[in-house]
Amino acid sequence: MIDILNSIKTDSISKINDIDSLHELDQLKSFLLGKKSPLMDVLKEIPKIPAQDRPIIGKQANQLKEDLTNCLNQKKQELINKERDHFLNNNQTDISLPTSGLPSGTYHPITTVTRLICSILNRYGYAIKQGPNIESDFNNFEALNIAPNHPARDMHDTFYLKNKRVLRTHTSPVQIRTMLMQEPPIKIIAPGKVYRCDADTSHSPVFHQIEGLFVDKHITFADLKGTLEAFLQELFGKNHAIRFRSSYFPFTEPSVEIDVSYTVNGKTSWLEIMGAGMVQRNVFRHVSYDPDSYTGFAFGLGIERIAMILYEIDNIRLFYENDHRFLSQF
Ligand code: PHE
């Protein structure tokens, strides 16, 4: 039996020495020490041998088991070191070098301009309201005194959905939502996305507006003009001229459009940036306000247009292309 143990030892050690990978070593371990291994066969035979021989053989067999286990562990460590050295020699990255740094993002110019406008108007006492992008025909058109045959309702301007729903064509429905929910005084602004079937260098099918509404007793056109002049002066500084043009919106009477002068590539022109006016009496009737008790003014401005002026950009599409070279300039 001693001979058998000795030959198991020589044989096992030579097998361990021949191994070259951790995977093979694992397999060999179960072959040498597992339940069906030659060593286990010897251990199983021990009860059958004469009693006086058992301690010696038992001791030898256990010693062999311990030796083989040590030998396998040592081989394992050798292979791990070898793999690590191989990896380090073939992937010569100098981990002590400083990194190039992670590029940090910036706000999109539309976000920056929206925040800027909201922060100015917040200071004038306007609270921020939001409404859904999918609107009812009532909120988007009817309550705003836009007649069923008004061109704004044309398929060419409006994305119609099922069940008399539309993608809102302006932020004005937030006026209606607010007035239906609360009594005057009301002083709100509503930033958000709006949608129209329209696309060229200064029109996009999705763009951004900010709506403003101030309703109380005795609000006059002078309040409208004073507020918007002060606001635009703060937004653009003294370098841009502003002009009010009389205009028409079904939901305001009288109405104006406001243009700002801007210069791109040495050429100065006017860009229309907002519509405004005194809230039309029919709008008040639709939200059950008494038009003889309350007056108010509303305005709606296009955020892209304002960003184009502030950053001297001549193509609206640049805002939506997500070109890193463009966006990283802000
Ligand atoms: N809703 C109008 C538009 O989208 C803008 C506007 C708002 C005009 C409020 C007057 C008053 O063109």
Side-chain angles (χ1 to χ4, degrees):
M1 234 175 212
I2 299 278
D3 288 346
I4 299 179
L5 286 174
N6 280 337
S7 93
I8 292 177
K9 185 171 183 177
T10 343
D11 188 47
S12 303
I13 289 180
S14 103
K15 280 201 166 77
I16 294 174
N17 284 339
D18 287 348
I19 290 291
D20 205 31
S21 80
L22 285 167
H23 175 65
E24 284 169 4
L25 189 69
D26 256 359
Q27 287 179 333
L28 182 63
K29 186 175 180 182
S30 33
F31 176 76
L32 295 180
L33 300 175
K35 280 194 188 122
K36 291 181 180 154
S37 61
L39 178 57
M40 285 303 151
D41 290 344
V42 174
L43 286 170
K44 275 181 224 149
E45 292 298 313
I46 289 179
K48 295 180 195 160
I49 60 175
Q52 76 273 20
D53 294 339
R54 281 180 215 159
I56 305 167
I57 303 292
K59 202 176 158 207
Q60 285 261 10
N62 280 329
Q63 185 61 49
L64 177 56
K65 192 177 169 194
E66 200 184 314
D67 289 348
L68 292 184
T69 308
N70 287 341
C71 200
L72 284 162
N73 284 344
Q74 197 188 333
K75 183 73 182 180
K76 186 174 180 179
Q77 195 54 52
E78 259 172 41
L79 289 173
I80 289 174
N81 291 349
K82 202 171 141 194
E83 266 190 22
R84 188 202 52 209
D85 289 347
H86 178 80
F87 177 81
L88 287 178
N89 290 334
N90 290 286
N91 295 277
Q92 300 225 338
T93 304
D94 183 350
I95 57 169
S96 65
L97 282 175
T99 65
S100 55
L102 285 175
S104 65
T106 56
Y107 285 117
H108 192 282
I110 297 296
T111 306
T112 307
V113 171
T114 306
R115 289 182 175 204
L116 174 66
I117 293 169
C118 287
S119 77
I120 297 174
L121 291 169
N122 258 173
R123 254 194 293 115
Y124 295 2
Y126 289 81
I128 295 179
K129 287 269 173 191
Q130 282 187 313
N133 291 11
I134 295 176
E135 263 299 0
S136 63
D137 183 89
F138 178 81
N139 288 342
N140 195 80
F141 293 127
E142 200 179 324
L144 288 160
N145 199 36
I146 302 177
N149 59 353
H150 190 277
R153 292 198 183 205
D154 200 300
M155 295 290 267
H156 295 296
D157 289 330
T158 306
F159 292 105
Y160 283 94
L161 307 170
K162 286 187 192 139
N163 302 327
K164 288 193 97 186
R165 305 254 141 196
V166 295
L167 288 182
R168 66 179 179 188
T169 58
H170 48 183
T171 39
S172 303
V174 186
Q175 287 184 33
I176 303 300
R177 288 179 168 268
T178 311
M179 289 192 282
L180 286 172
M181 294 286 287
Q182 63 196 76
E183 290 297 308
I186 283 182
K187 207 173 179 189
I188 56 130
I189 44 175
K193 285 192 171 67
V194 300
Y195 305 82
R196 291 186 202 170
C197 301
D198 213 352
D200 60 38
T201 53
S202 59
H203 294 90
S204 152
V206 187
F207 60 103
H208 300 77
Q209 284 189 334
I210 297 183
E211 190 76 10
L213 177 69
F214 187 8
V215 180
D216 203 347
K217 293 191 162 122
H218 314 301
I219 303 288
T220 67
F221 195 83
D223 295 310
L224 178 158
K225 238 187 140 197
T227 303
L228 296 182
E229 266 175 3
F231 160 67
L232 291 173
Q233 181 122 97
E234 230 182 289
L235 185 62
F236 291 114
K238 296 210 160 54
N239 291 340
H240 293 273
I242 291 159
R243 74 176 182 197
F244 284 67
R245 257 185 306 112
S246 70
S247 185
Y248 170 79
F249 298 101
F251 35 93
T252 48
E253 177 67 46
S255 304
V256 285
E257 276 177 310
I258 301 164
D259 304 331
V260 171
S261 76
Y262 84 126
T263 309
V264 174
N265 302 331
K267 204 177 134 235
T268 302
S269 46
W270 293 99
L271 195 65
E272 176 204 321
I273 53 153
M274 66 196 291
M278 302 305 290
V279 180
Q280 229 272 0
R281 292 167 67 86
N282 283 339
V283 175
F284 283 149
R285 290 192 186 102
H286 276 295
V287 296
S288 308
Y289 281 8
D290 178 3
D292 291 327
S293 305
Y294 296 111
T295 53
F297 65 83
F299 53 92
L301 51 88
I303 298 175
E304 278 79 353
R305 296 287 183 88
I306 290 177
M308 285 168 86
I309 297 172
L310 288 177
Y311 297 127
E312 300 189 2
I313 293 163
D314 58 2
N315 188 342
I316 199 168
R317 286 179 282 222
L318 285 166
F319 291 125
Y320 315 114
E321 286 168 350
N322 280 338
D323 187 330
H324 189 254
R325 289 167 301 177
F326 173 73
L327 293 175
S328 61
Q329 294 176 45
F330 298 95

